[in-house]
């Protein structure tokens, strides 16, 4: 398959999925990861897609987002590092809220494997997080699901979700984000999901944002939190020095998680 054919297929996958992984494309097309990186770089130079760590996303991502199944396979090492830092913000017996998205899901995985999860209650609008808790053999963790309308990220949003959230109270809420905009704040492509995230922040004593460094180079539609509304941002140490300095000036606490091993997907 020549480069133009590969690039046509890459764009086709982006149109249906919203995002692609280098390793998955390499396996599907039977070429090296380096070849796929060159194709993605060429398409990026033409403005036809946006390069991200481990793959690419559609340039239309401002108004939409990749499916949960696609996003869950991207930037796994970064999400693991962030999750390991985030579990220190939970104490046994806490009542917490966990939002939608794959970074929040990876956090939930690590949390449920730790001692900090003993006796906790989790409020969530994430279907995968709720399923994760239900699959536990231990009944020491209680889960409350908001209900609502489903999104591409398998989150439950809208007036039903917001009404359930407003009737409760939590110690800490952990939220992902689609993009980070300096100096505006944190954004989502789905306005209903942004509103539900705002509702969860409204019932929390503390707000923690979980996001990898690639989100500083993205943009999106709906603002759900300003920097001064967030207590802690946990990201990875791949964030550039300029963004680190600017973010620290805007947020109460910035934590940089160290990714111990970089996979061959790193660019």
């Amino acid at each position: 398959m020549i480069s133009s054919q590969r690039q046509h297929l890459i764009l086709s996958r982006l149109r249906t999925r919203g995002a692609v992984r280098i390793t998955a494309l390499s396996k599907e097309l039977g070429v090296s990861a380096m070849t796929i990186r060159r194709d993605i770089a060429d398409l990026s130079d033409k403005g036809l897609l946006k390069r991200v760590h481990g793959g690419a996303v559609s340039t239309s991502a401002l108004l939409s987002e990749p499916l949960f199944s696609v996003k869950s396979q991207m930037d796994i090492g970064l999400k693991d590092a962030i999750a390991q830092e985030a579990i220190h913000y939970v104490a046994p017996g806490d009542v917490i809220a966990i939002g939608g998205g794959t970074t929040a899901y990876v956090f939930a995985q690590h949390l449920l494997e730790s001692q900090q999860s003993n006796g906790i209650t989790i409020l969530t609008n994430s279907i995968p997080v709720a399923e994760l808790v239900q699959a536990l053999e231990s009944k020491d963790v209680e889960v409350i699901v908001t209900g609502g309308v489903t999104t591409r990220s398998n989150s439950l949003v809208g007036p039903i979700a917001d009404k359930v959230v407003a009737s409760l109270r939590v110690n800490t809420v952990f939220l992902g984000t689609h993009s980070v905009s300096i100096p505006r704040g944190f954004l989502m492509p789905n306005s209903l999901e942004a509103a539900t995230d705002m509702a969860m922040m409204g019932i929390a004593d503390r707000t923690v944002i979980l996001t990898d460094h690639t989100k500083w180079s993205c943009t999106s539609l709906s603002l759900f939190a300003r920097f001064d509304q967030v207590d802690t941002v946990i990201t990875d140490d791949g964030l550039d020095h300029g963004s680190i300095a600017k973010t620290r000036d805007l947020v109460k606490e910035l934590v940089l998680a160290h990714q111990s091993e970089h996979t061959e997907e790193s660019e």
Side-chain angles (χ1 to χ4, degrees):
M1 185 180 291
I2 62 175
S3 62
S4 61
Q5 291 174 317
R6 290 195 306 270
Q7 291 178 16
H8 178 79
L9 187 142
I10 291 170
L11 292 175
S12 176
R13 295 292 182 270
L14 278 176
R15 282 192 292 271
T16 57
R17 302 174 186 173
V20 292
R21 290 183 68 211
I22 289 172
T23 51
L25 287 170
S26 174
K27 183 177 180 180
E28 179 180 358
L29 298 178
V31 297
S32 69
M34 184 59 68
T35 297
I36 297 299
R37 288 192 183 95
R38 284 197 295 265
D39 287 335
I40 287 176
D42 188 30
L43 291 168
S44 176
D45 290 341
K46 296 174 182 176
L48 297 175
L49 54 71
K50 182 177 181 60
R51 300 171 68 186
V52 297
H53 182 86
V57 298
S58 170
T59 53
S60 63
L62 177 64
L63 298 176
S64 64
E65 60 182 323
L67 294 171
F68 183 93
S69 58
V70 175
K71 290 177 65 179
S72 64
Q73 298 302 314
M74 300 182 71
D75 304 328
I76 296 173
L78 303 181
K79 293 169 185 174
D80 282 336
I82 292 165
Q84 292 285 10
E85 289 291 337
I87 62 175
H88 299 303
Y89 290 77
V90 181
D94 272 356
V95 179
I96 67 171
I98 300 177
T102 56
T103 305
Y105 176 76
V106 173
F107 159 66
Q109 288 180 309
H110 284 271
L111 175 62
L112 294 172
E113 294 171 355
S114 73
Q115 294 298 315
Q116 279 94 328
S117 67
N118 293 339
I120 67 172
T121 298
I122 298 174
L123 167 67
T124 188
N125 69 323
S126 167
I127 295 172
V129 169
E131 292 175 340
L132 193 64
V133 178
Q134 285 299 100
L136 285 176
E137 293 183 6
S138 170
K139 300 301 179 183
D140 196 35
V141 179
E142 181 179 356
V143 63
I144 302 169
V145 185
T146 63
V149 179
T150 58
T151 69
R152 288 173 61 86
S153 63
N154 283 4
S155 300
L156 296 165
V157 302
I160 294 174
D162 298 351
K163 186 174 182 179
V164 171
V165 169
S167 67
L168 301 170
R169 189 76 191 175
V170 300
N171 300 118
T172 307
V173 59
F174 297 87
L175 298 172
T177 183
H178 186 267
S179 61
V180 182
S181 175
I182 297 175
R184 293 184 66 202
F186 307 90
L187 301 99
M188 288 287 184
N190 186 317
S191 59
L192 289 177
E193 187 163 11
T196 299
D197 283 350
M198 291 171 66
M200 287 200 282
M201 290 174 56
I203 66 162
D205 296 328
R206 177 173 60 182
T207 296
V208 179
I209 300 291
L210 311 175
T211 181
D212 67 76
H213 74 274
T214 65
K215 304 301 174 63
W216 270 258
S217 61
C218 299
T219 187
S220 199
L221 180 66
S222 299
L223 183 75
F224 70 88
R226 302 187 310 271
F227 281 98
D228 62 2
Q229 294 175 302
V230 170
D231 296 284
T232 302
V233 175
I234 304 178
T235 187
D236 62 274
D237 57 3
L239 188 62
D240 66 90
H241 295 301
S243 295
I244 289 173
K246 291 176 182 177
T247 303
R248 280 194 168 133
D249 286 340
L250 294 167
V251 76
K252 297 173 185 175
E253 181 185 28
L254 176 66
V255 177
L256 300 176
H258 176 65
Q259 185 187 10
S260 58
E261 294 183 2
H262 296 275
T263 68
E264 68 173 358
E265 292 178 11
S266 299
E267 297 182 349

